[in-house]
Structures are given as structure tokens and as C-alpha cells.
Amino acid sequence: MTLFSESSEIFQKNKNITQQISELKKQILYYQKEYYENNTSKISDTEFDALFHELKNLEKQYPKYLTNDSPTQKIYTTQQIALIKSKHLVPMISLENAFQNSDLFDWEERFLKILEKQEITFPKNAEPKYIVEPKFDGLGISCVYENGKFARAVTRGNGEEGETVSQNVQTITDYKANISKISEDNNFDIFEIRGEIVMKKSVFTELNVSLEKEGKKTFSTPRNAAAGSLRQLDSNITRERKLSIFFYETPLTTAHSQFKTYSNTLKFFDEQNISYCKDYYACNSITEVISAIKNIADMRENFDFDIDGAVIKVNNYKLREKIGVTGHHPRWAIAWKFPAIQVQTILESIEWQVGRTGVLTPVAYLKDVMIDGVKINRATLHNADYIEEKKLNIGDTILLERSGDVIPKILKSITTENKENNTGKEIKSEILIPNFCPVCESPTVKKTEEVALRCSNSNCPQILKGKLEHFVSKKCLNIKGLGTEVCDDLIEKKLIIHFADFSKIYTFTEKDWSEIKNFKLKSIKNVQSALEKSKTQPFWRIIHAMGISGVGEKTSKTIATHYENFLAFSHISERSLENLQNIEDIGEKTAQEIINFVENAEHQNLFIQLENIFQTNIQKSTINNNDSHIFSSLLENKKFVITGSFENYSRDSLKEIIENNGGSCMSAVSKKTDFVLAGEKAGSKKTKAEDLGVEILELQQFLELVGL
Ligand code: IVH
């Protein structure tokens, strides 16, 4: 759909910018979610920082596209953890990064200027100017003491507040229950020490060996293992995991006025038996700092814990106070980040794994190689295109990179590169792309517009597992007690073979349930009562549970308000196409997906079963407040004018989207208008916007802006 002339440079430019911004936001949020909620770093910190800066720069250049939900505007908050939150006494901020020597000289120059303005210099006494110490690759932790007694331990969280993990921290050997008098005349009511929780490399290796023996999932890095071990509701598990802590900060100013310098604080740690890293360096110039960093880098392999750099801190607390902090970082410290470690190994074989959506992902099996104390023998190859692009062959020597706790990445094939250099000939990958699903042996398919290779069998056990998990999930039928393992077991034990069998869970007897691993009478009773309870769910949840492509929670709610009951929905046919498309949020593609889904004979079977189970309970949905559309302040204070007509969207529905996101609509274009949302046959309003220099958005750009 082209609404504007292709030659319109402004249009092309704006389109690119909104697309870029929306793409960057999506990527950043994805990586933040992986990092904070799944404890995995899919990209290196450097790559992440680059994305963040790119977004920041674009938003600075084009403030109109700056929305409240941008990751640049808020600290990422995790939603999934059930632990109690505590506010930090002082925000836990992060450090700015340095990658080369000049970054360190620039850093010193920057804060010296600040001090110069205040006519302050480094103290002339013998105390060192800087302390350089390892940068631990673990999880930040704050331990608060009240009248010398341990009060609580809190994770970094979003920097402002974190999760209270006191009980778990109390199981760690390095935990200190009491801190005795700080000095004769000074015993703080409140004292705080901050540090990093790590899992020693030796402990990590041991843990993975025993997890593997028990047939359990292993951890990819010591950091992930530490995170998984700390965020446990059962502190006995944390105890068994043998974590360690290195403390490196006393953030409260009361402590600063007592200790005067960081080196004194470390002495205090020593006297009090507070765990800290003794391999720190006192330096008096940036040149000395550089050689201290080199020493730490040389010792990296010898440390029994992962480090990903060094931290350089101004020693004197008074100076730190004068130097100050920016919004996100202290100006008095900087982190030196080690470059990613690269090693060579052999690509021994490839296995295609089927995911729950039916996508086949190639996994590379590598000859064991150690990177920074961690044994690596696997790497993801993403998809067939990636293998082709890197021209990988079994038996090749490949270059592998692991930076921080990033999942190892294959950079290139050294064998292919050498061959190409010698012969000048283009080497093709000989790795075969599977024609059949490794799980159910049905043919694989690849849609032209997709890179992903998929299993074509909708009843492939792997796909069924994913569908069943969705069906019973919290946002669908919300059947408690049916987690991933139970769903998998139901499919593996062939209690469920087809999608149409999903309704069977309502008719299973105690004997059926007892086939499930670890299912005793109590769990069976719990599931049966959860199933009973689910029968009163509103019918939008059944629509959502079907997992129809393009029909998420919001669309399911909208559909439910347009049909009398589930029966009416299950009888829609090709003739309903137009009706469906008239429903807001539903485009032609989704409408067709719904019809194809509903008309499928197997699905019809399931509907009949469900109608019997849910009986009269699945009447027209009355959407209560909790279930209503998601409101946001994404477009707060943004004024829109809508003009022209739009494919799949009425003007009223667009207005509603704008208002639901905090924006407002005006009828006439003026200088105060932020955006003109222009559809087909947009006339004078669009021209006026062009004259006034008001931003014009095409539908696609608008949808991207609001994340639809
Ligand atoms: S001092 C104001 N020292 O690295 C921040 N942090 O990006 C003062 N870290 O959030 C932190 N080792 O979790 C400091 N020796 C060390 C550290 C260290 C690791 C972590 C810490 C911080 C992050 C900085």
C-alpha cells in the first residue's frame, strides 16, 4: 500500500526513522527481557550499548518519536518474580564503560575539569588516587544492617527497588550476620554494604555435572547459575548451590564520612571479615591504572570466578561527592570492559531441534573447548540462512566468540575462509537442510517470506506440547497445576495425540492422571478442581486458547464482544469474512486465518466437545475492567489529525487507539498538531500539514509507533 509518492524524500526518510526506532525498541526490550527475566545475554554488553545509543540519538534528533514507553525513558522492570520488593536506600546505578586507554584519560580529564571549577585538587597526603579491582561477572546485591544486625538483602532489580532475598543470602558462607562497632564513637543505626554474588567456576562445573547426571537442564554460565540459585523461593536450594559474595561498596554517606577513603573501607572489610577481593591495586596515575588493568587481565584465567573487566574508582569519598553522578552513572568510577574472547574449535555435527511453534533450529555440536574456565560444546546456528551465509561445513575449524555471559556465537569458518583465499572460488555450505521433521518425520515447509523452516504437521508432538501449554496457560483457560512438564508428559504418554483431544483433559479419570510423572492424589485433586473452576471462564479465553495466528488476548476480547456465545463464533464461515473484517483490530489476513481455523474439521470436533463442557457458561463476554483494553500513556500530549481512509481500520477505531494510548484527536491541522495520520485519498488536511511542516504518518508507521 503506497499512499505517498515514492519520490517523496521526506516521506521515505520519516518512514525509515519510525521503522528504525520501532525496530530498535523491540530489540532492546527483547534483550532486556532475556537478561533480566531469563538471565541470558543474547548479545554482548557492547552490542547492547550500541543499540541503546542508536535509539537515544535518533530520539534526540527526532523528539517527536520519543514516547513514554521507550526503554531510554524507564528502567526495565521484571514482572515475573514472586519475591517481595524493597526500595534501595540509595539507587543502585551502573557504570560507564571504557574500552581503550584514551577512554580512561578522557574520563580523568572530565572529572578533573569538574573539580577545577570547584577549585579542588587531589589531597596532597599519601593516600592513593585510584583503586582498581576486578569487575565481577555476577549479580549486584545490597545488604542492609540495622544497629549492626543484618536486616535484609536486596537484589539490584530496577535500580530503585529490588527483590528481597534475605533468607537466601543468609545461606551463603560469605554472609555476615553482624557488623560490630565501626569505631568507638560511631556505631551506625543503618549500615549498608554492596557487592556481587558469583558462583565460583569450580562450583559451577561441579553443579553442571550433577545436574546432567540427574537428567536436568544445565546452566550456560556461572552467572546464570548464580542468578538461578539466588532467585529461589526455597532457600535450601540456594544453600546447596554454594554461592560467594565479594563486597565493594558502602553507599551511605555516613559511612563515607567515617572511612574517608575506599582503601580504608577495604581495610575495615578486612578487620571485620567481610568478604572482598584482595587482588586490588592502588594507583596514582592513569598510566598506573592501565598497568593494573593489564595485571588483572593477565590473572583472569587464575581467578576462580568470572570477571568481565576491571573497575576504576576514585579513592577519596569527599572527591567522589564533589565529582558527582550523572542520571545513570557515577562520574567517579568507570568500568574497563574486556574484549570478547575468541577461540577456535571444530564443528563436529549439527542437530535440528524442533521448537514448540514447529520451527526447526540448527544446533552446532562442537569439539569441547574452554573459554574463560567454561567448557563450551554447543552453539546455536539460528536458521538455514545463517549456515549458508557463514558457509559452514561439518569438520570445519570455526572461530567462536563468548563475551561476558553471552551464548557462544560462531563468527566464521576458518576452513572456508582459507579455501576461498587460496582458490578464489566461492565455497558453498554442504550442510543439508532437512526435508523431514526430526520429531514426527512429516515434510518440512518454508514460507517464501520467512527464514524459518517449519514442521508441516499441526499434530507434531512438539507443536502439540506448545499448543497445550498455551491452552491451559494463565492468559487462556488458566488451569493451575498443568505446567510445562505435565503438558509434555500428556503428549509423550500419548494421552493426547491430536489438537482435538485437548478437551479430553476435562474427562480424564484419576487413573488417567496417575500416569503423569510425580502426579499423586493431591496433585490430581488440585488439577481436577482447577479444571472445574476453569469452566466458568469468559469465552474470550476459549478463543484465545485456540492459538489462532494473529488472535492474541486483545483481539480475542474484541471478537467475544461481537458474538452471542462460543457456539456462534464456532459457526462462522467464509460468508463471515466481511463481518469479521468490520471488527476493529482484525485485518484481512487475520480474518482469513480465523475462518480457516474454524472451518477445519478437526477444530470443529474440539469446539463441539468444548461447548458441551462449558455449556451455558460461555455466553457473550462481558468484559470487566481488568479485562478491558490496555491503556497506556504512550502518546501522552500528542495531538493527531486523522484524514483519508484506511485499509482494515475505521477512523473511529484509530481515534480509539490514539485515545487509549493517551493522545488526542483534533479536527483541523494547525501548528500545534503533532501528527497527521493520512490514509488513502487524504486531501487538503495532508497538504496543509505539508505546508506547516507537520509530520505525516502512514498507517503502517502509526501502528509501529503504538507497537501494533
Ligand atoms: S562499584 C555506582 N565495583 O558492575 C556503581 N561494581 O555496571 C558502583 N560490578 O552495577 C559499583 N564488579 O553490579 C563496582 N568491583 C566492582 C564491581 C562492580 C562488578 C557490577 C555492579 C555494577 C555494575 C556496573
Side-chain angles (χ1 to χ4, degrees):
M1 177 181 61
T2 314
L3 303 175
F4 299 92
S5 109
E6 291 284 321
S7 59
S8 158
E9 254 179 55
I10 297 179
F11 166 67
Q12 283 302 337
K13 195 171 146 222
N14 288 343
K15 186 176 169 182
N16 284 341
I17 291 155
T18 45
Q19 256 171 12
Q20 256 174 291
I21 290 186
S22 142
E23 197 45 47
L24 279 167
K25 278 189 202 167
K26 271 190 216 148
Q27 283 187 27
I28 291 171
L29 278 174
Y30 168 74
Y31 292 126
Q32 285 181 324
K33 189 169 165 31
E34 285 297 317
Y35 186 82
Y36 289 111
E37 294 186 23
N38 299 334
N39 300 313
T40 45
S41 308
K42 295 255 155 122
I43 54 167
S44 66
D45 286 0
T46 330
E47 285 169 307
F48 181 84
D49 290 346
L51 289 177
F52 203 85
H53 276 124
E54 198 182 334
L55 177 61
K56 249 184 136 168
N57 282 342
L58 279 173
E59 287 174 340
K60 203 168 159 195
Q61 250 179 301
Y62 306 96
K64 276 197 166 174
Y65 301 120
L66 175 65
T67 55
N68 286 344
D69 77 325
S70 172
T72 59
Q73 302 303 299
K74 54 177 193 183
I75 297 175
Y76 187 84
T77 35
T78 52
Q79 281 114 24
Q80 56 148 33
I81 297 110
L83 298 162
I84 294 164
K85 302 263 159 88
S86 290
K87 254 196 164 339
H88 292 300
L89 300 172
V90 178
M92 272 176 109
I93 49 180
S94 59
L95 297 168
E96 196 190 331
N97 292 328
F99 300 95
Q100 50 199 14
N101 294 350
S102 61
D103 293 341
L104 297 173
F105 287 107
D106 292 349
W107 167 67
E108 183 185 56
E109 197 180 310
R110 275 198 305 275
F111 75 70
L112 283 180
K113 262 193 200 144
I114 295 174
L115 290 177
E116 210 176 292
K117 275 196 193 136
Q118 302 173 71
E119 297 178 1
I120 302 168
T121 52
F122 272 107
K124 295 267 178 296
N125 60 24
E127 77 187 34
K129 285 186 180 170
Y130 303 110
I131 300 294
V132 182
E133 59 187 10
K135 182 170 186 302
F136 311 99
D137 193 6
L139 311 149
I141 191 79
S142 139
C143 292
V144 177
Y145 292 80
E146 284 169 9
N147 298 315
K149 284 202 172 3
F150 173 80
R152 62 182 174 275
V154 186
T155 64
R156 180 180 181 276
N158 64 11
E160 294 292 330
E161 61 172 15
E163 289 128 19
T164 322
V165 284
S166 312
Q167 277 196 359
N168 294 356
V169 167
Q170 281 171 301
T171 67
I172 303 175
T173 329
D174 298 324
Y175 151 76
K176 278 282 291 173
N178 298 298
I179 290 182
S180 51
K181 267 199 166 151
I182 282 146
S183 73
E184 266 320 302
D185 50 11
N186 204 343
N187 189 12
F188 300 124
D189 302 346
I190 302 257
F191 187 64
E192 183 183 352
I193 44 176
R194 286 183 183 176
E196 204 83 354
I197 295 190
V198 298
M199 181 177 281
K200 295 225 171 114
K201 290 181 202 170
S202 46
V203 175
F204 169 73
T205 314
E206 224 173 75
L207 172 67
N208 267 356
V209 168
S210 68
L211 286 175
E212 206 155 348
K213 260 195 207 150
E214 291 166 33
K216 291 190 182 147
K217 215 172 150 236
T218 54
F219 288 105
S220 61
T221 64
R223 187 187 181 280
N224 291 345
S229 309
L230 181 67
R231 280 177 178 169
Q232 288 286 340
L233 291 172
D234 176 2
S235 51
N236 285 321
I237 300 179
T238 316
R239 187 193 312 277
E240 285 164 16
R241 298 286 172 80
K242 296 187 202 132
L243 298 172
S244 305
I245 317 183
F246 291 103
F247 288 100
Y248 49 64
E249 210 199 343
T250 49
L252 301 178
T253 45
T254 40
H256 294 169
S257 21
Q258 176 68 35
F259 297 131
K260 309 283 188 263
T261 64
Y262 182 48
S263 40
N264 285 340
T265 310
L266 293 176
K267 268 189 213 135
F268 172 77
F269 283 178
D270 207 67
E271 286 156 17
Q272 294 272 332
N273 235 344
I274 295 173
S275 168
Y276 72 103
C277 177
K278 302 197 168 52
D279 296 290
Y280 69 89
Y281 294 81
C283 303
N284 269 314
S285 66
I286 293 297
T287 319
E288 281 180 32
V289 164
I290 291 167
S291 77
I293 293 173
K294 189 172 177 311
N295 284 342
I296 293 177
D298 290 345
M299 277 160 59
R300 186 174 185 184
E301 291 288 321
N302 303 341
F303 289 124
D304 191 18
F305 45 86
D306 267 356
I307 63 167
D308 58 354
V311 181
I312 305 102
K313 304 171 181 180
V314 167
N315 189 26
N316 187 290
Y317 289 129
K318 201 108 223 113
L319 282 198
R320 285 192 188 184
E321 190 194 316
K322 299 287 174 200
I323 294 168
V325 294
T326 69
H328 297 290
H329 314 293
R331 287 199 189 92
W332 47 262
I334 194 159
W336 175 275
K337 292 297 276 283
F338 290 149
I341 303 176
Q342 295 182 354
V343 293
Q344 290 188 10
T345 189
I346 311 278
L347 172 56
E348 290 186 329
S349 60
I350 284 187
E351 187 183 288
W352 290 80
Q353 293 181 348
V354 189
R356 288 167 173 272
T357 54
V359 173
L360 272 71
T361 308
V363 177
Y365 284 83
L366 311 168
K367 183 163 186 253
D368 284 0
V369 63
M370 295 298 282
I371 306 186
D372 193 24
V374 177
K375 190 170 82 184
I376 309 285
N377 52 19
R378 268 193 299 183
T380 174
L381 292 170
H382 306 288
N383 51 51
D385 287 7
Y386 187 84
I387 298 175
E388 199 56 54
E389 188 192 307
K390 305 255 174 215
K391 295 166 193 146
L392 300 174
N393 291 293
I394 309 290
D396 278 4
T397 300
I398 49 116
L399 189 66
L400 192 70
E401 180 181 280
R402 177 180 172 251
S403 118
D405 66 350
V406 179
I407 292 164
K409 193 161 81 185
I410 294 183
L411 296 177
K412 61 181 175 188
S413 159
I414 311 262
T415 314
T416 302
E417 191 179 57
N418 288 345
K419 275 191 206 148
E420 279 186 347
N421 287 346
N422 291 341
T423 62
K425 281 203 184 118
E426 182 78 348
I427 312 288
K428 278 190 74 87
S429 167
E430 283 163 8
I431 291 168
L432 292 177
I433 309 304
N435 291 324
F436 298 96
C437 168
V439 174
C440 71
E441 299 181 348
S442 306
T444 56
V445 283
K446 191 176 169 193
K447 289 187 192 156
T448 27
E449 71 279 10
E450 277 189 0
V451 278
L453 190 68
R454 288 171 189 276
C455 169
S456 59
N457 172 15
S458 59
N459 285 320
C460 170
Q462 201 58 24
I463 300 178
L464 278 187
K465 286 177 183 175
K467 282 190 182 166
L468 182 60
E469 212 182 317
H470 175 73
F471 187 79
V472 300
S473 68
K474 206 169 168 192
K475 296 257 165 124
C476 296
L477 296 179
N478 192 17
I479 303 164
K480 292 203 180 79
L482 292 187
T484 312
E485 280 171 21
V486 182
C487 289
D488 288 2
D489 223 27
L490 283 167
I491 309 285
E492 270 155 34
K493 300 247 163 73
K494 299 208 172 10
L495 288 157
I496 286 174
I497 304 174
H498 305 283
F499 183 62
D501 293 344
F502 281 13
S503 58
K504 279 190 184 167
I505 55 171
Y506 285 93
T507 57
F508 280 165
T509 59
E510 264 179 29
K511 190 168 167 291
D512 293 324
W513 285 116
S514 65
E515 286 196 37
I516 300 298
K517 207 160 79 191
N518 298 330
F519 248 46
K520 302 262 150 47
L521 204 61
K522 191 163 176 239
S523 10
I524 297 175
K525 288 271 171 269
N526 286 345
V527 163
Q528 284 177 330
S529 98
L531 282 162
E532 218 34 58
K533 228 168 130 189
S534 75
K535 290 183 183 171
T536 55
Q537 295 284 26
F539 100 77
W540 70 261
R541 284 178 174 270
I542 308 179
I543 299 175
H544 190 209
M546 295 296 114
I548 308 167
S549 171
V551 183
E553 184 183 341
K554 192 172 169 221
T555 312
S556 305
K557 285 175 184 169
T558 317
I559 295 173
T561 57
H562 285 77
Y563 290 88
E564 227 10 76
N565 50 31
F566 187 62
L567 191 69
F569 171 74
S570 68
H571 280 77
I572 55 176
S573 66
E574 196 66 42
R575 287 193 312 271
S576 324
L577 188 65
E578 210 174 307
N579 285 348
L580 272 174
Q581 282 185 59
N582 281 338
I583 300 178
E584 68 183 271
D585 293 347
I586 299 183
E588 194 184 327
K589 195 164 164 254
T590 306
Q592 197 57 58
E593 288 280 358
I594 297 172
I595 287 167
N596 294 347
F597 186 93
V598 173
E599 285 192 333
N600 176 301
E602 193 188 354
H603 300 158
Q604 279 293 329
N605 254 336
L606 176 64
F607 294 159
I608 294 167
Q609 306 301 326
L610 291 175
E611 277 153 20
N612 286 334
I613 292 161
F614 286 78
Q615 295 157 8
T616 51
N617 292 325
I618 46 181
Q619 296 295 325
K620 189 176 171 108
S621 251
T622 37
I623 293 179
N624 65 31
N625 264 347
N626 290 339
D627 281 351
S628 68
H629 296 288
I630 299 144
F631 286 76
S632 87
S633 51
L634 201 66
L635 303 174
E636 207 171 86
N637 300 328
K638 304 267 191 276
K639 295 186 185 62
F640 280 76
V641 170
I642 308 174
T643 177
S645 59
F646 301 83
E647 214 176 283
N648 301 332
Y649 285 87
S650 67
R651 271 194 264 172
D652 276 349
S653 68
L654 291 169
K655 184 167 179 257
E656 202 176 327
I657 296 177
I658 293 169
E659 287 168 356
N660 283 351
N661 284 292
S664 58
C665 292
M666 330 157 50
S667 49
V669 181
S670 76
K671 275 196 165 163
K672 286 192 183 143
T673 313
D674 291 293
F675 296 103
V676 168
L677 176 51
E680 274 163 288
K681 302 199 192 84
S684 60
K685 288 184 185 173
K686 197 185 129 201
T687 324
K688 183 145 187 215
E690 278 165 352
D691 290 343
L692 292 174
V694 170
E695 203 82 73
I696 299 168
L697 290 180
E698 186 199 349
L699 179 65
Q700 196 50 40
Q701 291 174 283
F702 168 74
L703 295 176
E704 268 165 8
L705 191 68
V706 291
L708 287 172

